[in-house]
Amino acid sequence: MPLDLLARVLPRSGEAPPPQMVQSKGSRGLRLVGAVTTALSFPASQIFSNCDYFPAEFSLVATIKTPSLTQKRNEYIFSVVEEASDSLLLGLRVSENRLHFLSTPPSVGGRSRLSFKDVGLDDNRWHTVVLAVTGPYATLTIDCGLPLDKQVQSFPSALSTRGSRFFIGSKGRLRGRFSGLLRQLVLLPGSDATPRMCPTSVPGLAELSIPQVLKSTLLQPEDHEAVYPYEAEARVTLGNPPPCSGPEQGQLWFNAQRKGLFVCDGLTWRTLLQNQERLDYVEDYQDLYTSSETFDVEIFSIPSEGLFMAAANRDSRPGSGIYQWRNGSFQLHQNISTQEARAWKHFTIGEYLATNDSIPPHQIFLVVANSREAEPELSVIYRWNQRRRRFLRHQTLETYTLSTSGAYDWEFFSVGPYHFLVVANTFDGQTTTISSTVYVWLNGGFQTFQSIPTVGATDWETFQIDGRFFLAVANSQKVSKHGPNLYSINSTVYELNRLTQTFIRFQDILTHSAVDWEFFTIGEEKFLVVANSHDGSSYSLNSVVYRWQGYEGFVPVHSLPTFGCRDWEHFSTDEGSFLVYSSATSRLSKVFKLRTY
């Protein structure tokens, strides 16, 4: 018979529910952080009254709703701990995109861990997991889906539970407590519980044994007026969001300024209903003076720190600037010595399993492409140091010019199961009217997919609109041995034709030495902004914002005065949506605010 572990720490039917009861998306669960100050537990002897040994074959069933685990988090759904030594005998633990089953075989003397990767449990949705251990195999079934099988190295056949306790949602300590909601936790000795539960119409809430107090859909106070607990609490503000963390998960927030209804998922406010924004006009917001001309900007976020911008500056001293968004504007956070930096790229490396049985947080990196003509030419990777709150040098890379026709940009993108690289070829030594190449990943390498005629290509931008896939190329200038150089030429948007499996010309747009495209959305509207850098006589030009209008394609809606514009980036903060451009001919870069209605 199923042994309901969760019911042993909950009040019986008819008793007042505890304050940590939470209803989310129509189903109740128990929250084990915040209101609960002591760990919920019971002695193992309550279950194993006639025999002290944990069954060698069994199923564990848990229904959980876990917030996103983006930092160094290991959270226990349940554990069995020997009280005298405070040592872990068994544990079921969730981390970012993984589920772990821990055991301590008495004969081995060390801890054994069985890990299932890429399970996607920490997405703030209800999931039911069944972990069945039978003989040398363990099977994980999530939401009645396809089972995942793994071989068990050594699950103890005689694991004594004498003198131990079951802890629900923890391992008896504050650290490692389960921060989500727990609706079901059942031990079924001797068999796989999946056939008893599946199939079902709601696989994420599949039931084997749910405590009665969690089955009701409403809490009834003394006046019998129906009230949804916790999630019915709402706040109203005029713009600034209230706190959203674990204790506020499930709360509603109505933003009177933006006319939107949001729900806290434990980390951020998620949109439930909102009057879709539309772009009204663009206003000058911030003059950002950098140490020297800026060839590229990279916008990125660091958890618990906020929004940052890395500027690729020409001069070596003081180098390139790292700016942080503080009090509604970019402020200099750090200078990094670079050598005629051309571009920055932010990336993260996710969790890995360390030997000390802990999972470190995401590692955050910045890499700069230095371009000074020196041997060897070194580009540098920097790593974010959380304690010092700075990027520190991590590794140097020798970089070279690859064998291309003056390649200016690479762009990686995927369409369905296929992965592509497209190169922007600028100049072959005689002319800029050459082909740029799209490569597709096949048979372990990139192979030529299509050659596209371009004219001094400097940038590719990929984007999707309503299931249609587009490539936009920025053509900079027409140069040949015969005739004058032309800067006012067409840049082109291509669309993937799924019938012919090629990119075909969709729209030509007149640009002036275009060096960058940026695609962005506001509400349901889609936009492209081009970086016009030179018309043959002046660097002071209007860069243009184009709006998608279906059959008409992209039409110009706003002209923004720029000077030597090199790169555009779009970003959003609590203050609204913004565009920032860098100048390759001036120290002045600018931030524009996108006013909406």
Side-chain angles (χ1 to χ4, degrees):
M1 296 294 294
L3 301 174
D4 194 333
L5 306 181
L6 185 57
R8 296 178 180 272
V9 296
L10 288 178
R12 298 177 181 177
S13 180
E15 298 179 1
Q20 65 269 24
M21 201 76 66
V22 176
Q23 183 160 306
S24 178
K25 298 182 179 179
S27 299
R28 274 197 201 171
L30 184 69
R31 168 156 293 139
L32 303 175
V33 296
V36 180
T37 56
T38 59
L40 299 178
S41 68
F42 61 88
S45 58
Q46 285 189 11
I47 292 179
F48 304 114
S49 56
N50 299 322
C51 178
D52 293 330
Y53 293 107
F54 199 91
E57 296 188 352
F58 59 91
S59 289
L60 285 169
V61 180
T63 299
I64 57 176
K65 183 173 179 286
T66 312
S68 176
L69 302 175
T70 58
Q71 299 181 356
K72 185 178 180 181
R73 300 288 296 181
N74 287 288
E75 299 186 351
Y76 283 83
I77 299 173
F78 98 101
S79 64
V80 181
V81 178
E82 187 179 45
E83 292 190 272
S85 62
D86 195 31
S87 60
L88 182 71
L89 299 181
L90 288 175
L92 187 63
R93 189 179 73 188
V94 64
S95 63
E96 184 183 12
N97 209 21
R98 299 189 181 192
L99 185 72
H100 313 276
F101 180 64
L102 311 174
S103 62
T104 306
S107 60
V108 177
R111 183 178 300 173
S112 172
R113 179 178 58 200
L114 183 66
S115 297
F116 293 88
K117 302 178 181 179
D118 300 324
V119 294
L121 295 176
D122 56 327
D123 59 358
N124 208 38
R125 300 175 184 269
W126 285 111
H127 294 286
T128 296
V129 300
V130 180
L131 178 64
V133 176
T134 305
Y137 295 99
T139 301
L140 178 67
T141 304
I142 300 177
D143 300 340
C144 295
L146 295 176
L148 304 174
D149 294 323
K150 280 204 170 185
Q151 190 165 1
V152 181
Q153 293 181 349
S154 57
F155 186 78
S157 59
L159 178 62
S160 176
T161 62
R162 180 176 297 178
S164 64
R165 295 187 71 86
F166 277 81
F167 286 91
I168 308 303
S170 74
K171 62 172 182 177
R173 304 171 185 173
L174 288 176
R175 183 179 180 183
R177 282 196 179 186
F178 184 58
S179 63
L181 300 181
L182 183 59
R183 176 173 172 81
Q184 177 176 220
L185 184 60
V186 182
L187 170 64
L188 180 64
S191 63
D192 186 351
T194 306
R196 299 194 185 192
M197 306 165 60
C198 303
T200 178
S201 59
V202 188
L205 294 167
E207 295 185 6
L208 179 62
S209 179
I210 303 290
Q212 187 61 40
V213 71
L214 293 178
K215 287 186 176 182
S216 304
T217 57
L218 297 177
L219 290 181
Q220 300 287 345
E222 292 182 355
D223 58 3
H224 301 291
E225 180 183 356
V227 175
Y228 286 90
Y230 198 83
E231 67 175 3
E233 296 182 13
R235 301 187 181 188
V236 178
T237 71
L238 284 176
N240 293 327
C244 174
S245 58
E248 289 80 28
Q249 184 174 4
Q251 284 191 0
L252 299 178
W253 164 45
F254 180 74
N255 187 334
Q257 183 176 14
R258 296 173 59 184
K259 298 180 177 63
L261 182 64
F262 305 85
V263 63
C264 175
D265 66 1
L267 292 175
T268 61
W269 291 101
R270 301 285 186 178
T271 303
L272 290 179
L273 295 171
Q274 186 175 3
N275 186 21
Q276 291 292 341
E277 291 182 304
R278 296 178 64 87
L279 179 60
D280 191 4
Y281 62 93
V282 182
E283 70 175 8
D284 192 342
Y285 185 80
Q286 180 187 1
D287 289 342
L288 184 62
Y289 285 93
T290 57
S291 59
S292 60
E293 297 90 331
T294 305
F295 295 103
D296 174 72
V297 290
E298 174 83 346
I299 304 290
F300 59 96
S301 295
I302 297 178
S304 77
E305 295 291 339
L307 188 76
F308 287 81
M309 182 186 78
N313 297 123
R314 186 192 66 180
D315 291 351
S316 302
R317 295 181 180 275
S320 295
I322 309 297
Y323 298 83
Q324 185 176 14
W325 185 266
R326 295 196 301 265
N327 300 320
S329 64
F330 281 116
Q331 307 294 328
L332 182 63
H333 179 80
Q334 177 185 2
N335 277 318
I336 295 178
S337 179
T338 53
Q339 307 294 327
E340 296 184 21
R342 293 291 174 174
W344 284 101
K345 184 65 178 178
H346 160 262
F347 64 97
T348 63
I349 295 179
E351 66 185 30
Y352 62 89
L353 295 177
T355 55
N356 63 355
D357 197 32
S358 64
I359 298 178
H362 276 304
Q363 300 174 82
I364 301 168
F365 297 90
L366 275 177
V367 59
V368 62
N370 288 321
S371 66
R372 188 177 66 175
E373 295 183 1
E375 294 295 340
E377 185 179 87
L378 298 179
S379 292
V380 186
I381 300 175
Y382 297 87
R383 180 179 176 181
W384 176 258
N385 184 292
Q386 185 62 40
R387 183 177 61 84
R388 298 180 62 179
R389 299 180 65 248
R390 289 289 188 275
F391 282 98
L392 304 181
R393 180 184 289 248
H394 179 76
Q395 182 182 356
T396 58
L397 302 173
E398 288 192 23
T399 50
Y400 308 91
T401 302
L402 297 179
S403 179
T404 55
S405 298
Y408 213 85
D409 180 51
W410 285 99
E411 181 81 357
F412 174 83
F413 60 95
S414 298
V415 181
Y418 298 101
H419 308 293
F420 297 87
L421 271 177
V422 57
V423 63
N425 286 327
T426 305
F427 186 62
D428 66 359
Q430 295 182 346
T431 180
T432 58
T433 306
I434 54 179
S435 292
S436 294
T437 306
V438 182
Y439 300 89
V440 62
W441 179 265
L442 288 175
N443 302 322
F446 282 103
Q447 302 181 19
T448 299
F449 175 78
Q450 181 182 355
S451 293
I452 299 178
T454 53
V455 185
T458 54
D459 177 67
W460 285 102
E461 180 81 353
T462 64
F463 54 92
Q464 295 185 59
I465 299 176
D466 299 330
R468 301 163 64 181
F469 198 92
F470 296 89
L471 271 176
V473 63
N475 289 326
S476 62
Q477 55 181 309
K478 186 174 183 178
V479 177
S480 63
K481 288 186 176 181
H482 309 287
N485 295 345
L486 300 178
Y487 298 92
S488 296
I489 57 177
N490 284 332
S491 294
T492 304
V493 179
Y494 296 88
E495 181 180 4
L496 178 63
N497 186 308
R498 297 181 184 270
L499 182 62
T500 63
Q501 296 186 355
T502 57
F503 286 95
I504 61 175
R505 185 186 303 268
F506 173 78
Q507 182 181 1
D508 288 328
I509 299 175
L510 180 63
T511 55
H512 308 282
S513 193
V515 290
D516 183 58
W517 285 106
E518 175 79 356
F519 176 80
F520 63 96
T521 63
I522 295 179
E524 295 183 350
E525 293 185 312
K526 280 74 175 176
F527 298 89
L528 274 176
V529 59
V530 66
N532 286 327
S533 64
H534 189 52
D535 64 358
S537 60
S538 175
Y539 295 102
S540 181
L541 298 171
N542 285 335
S543 291
V544 182
V545 178
Y546 300 86
R547 182 173 59 210
W548 171 258
Q549 292 192 183
Y551 183 77
E552 300 176 72
F554 288 95
V555 299
V557 290
H558 297 286
S559 294
L560 308 179
T562 56
F563 187 80
C565 186
R566 178 60 187 86
D567 183 37
W568 282 104
E569 292 291 333
H570 172 262
F571 63 96
S572 297
T573 70
D574 293 337
E575 290 87 357
S577 293
F578 299 86
L579 286 172
V580 57
Y581 89 85
S582 65
S583 173
T585 58
S586 167
R587 291 180 52 238
L588 175 61
S589 296
K590 294 184 75 70
V591 179
F592 296 94
K593 185 166 186 177
L594 305 176
R595 289 292 185 179
T596 60
Y597 65 93

